Amino acid sequence: MLFQLLLQAAEQSGAGLAVMGAGIGAGLAAIGAGMGIGRIGGSAMEGIARQPEAAGRIQTAMLIIAALIEAVALFAAVICLLISFKL
C-alpha cells in the first residue's frame, strides 16, 4: 500500500522518481558512512586493547580513514542533492 502511494506520487510529476531515488541514495550514503565509521572505531579500540603501545599510530590511521569515509559520504550526498535540484 505504501509502495503504491509512492508510485502514484511519482507519476504525478515526471521528476518524482528521480527525486525519490536521490533521497534514497543520500540515505544509503549516510547509513554506509555510519556503518563504516562504527566498524573502524570498534576495530581501532580492539587493536589498542591488544597493543596499547601502538595506540598513537592506530588512532592516527583511524582518524584519517574516518575522514576519507566522511568525504565520500558528503560527495554522495552532494551528488544526490544536485540530482534532486536539477529537476
Side-chain angles (χ1 to χ4, degrees), residues 35-52:
M35 289 175 59
I37 290 175
R39 189 173 274 188
I40 288 170
S43 297
M45 292 301 111
E46 183 179 333
I48 291 171
R50 289 181 185 209
Q51 280 187 313

Side-chain angles (χ1 to χ4, degrees), residues 13-65:
S13 68
L17 286 176
V19 172
M20 205 163 51
I24 291 171
L28 288 175
I31 290 170
M35 289 175 59
I37 290 175
R39 189 173 274 188
I40 288 170
S43 297
M45 292 301 111
E46 183 179 333
I48 291 171
R50 289 181 185 209
Q51 280 187 313
E53 65 274 1
R57 290 186 296 141
I58 293 172
Q59 187 176 13
T60 302
M62 178 189 69
L63 289 174
I64 290 171
I65 294 170

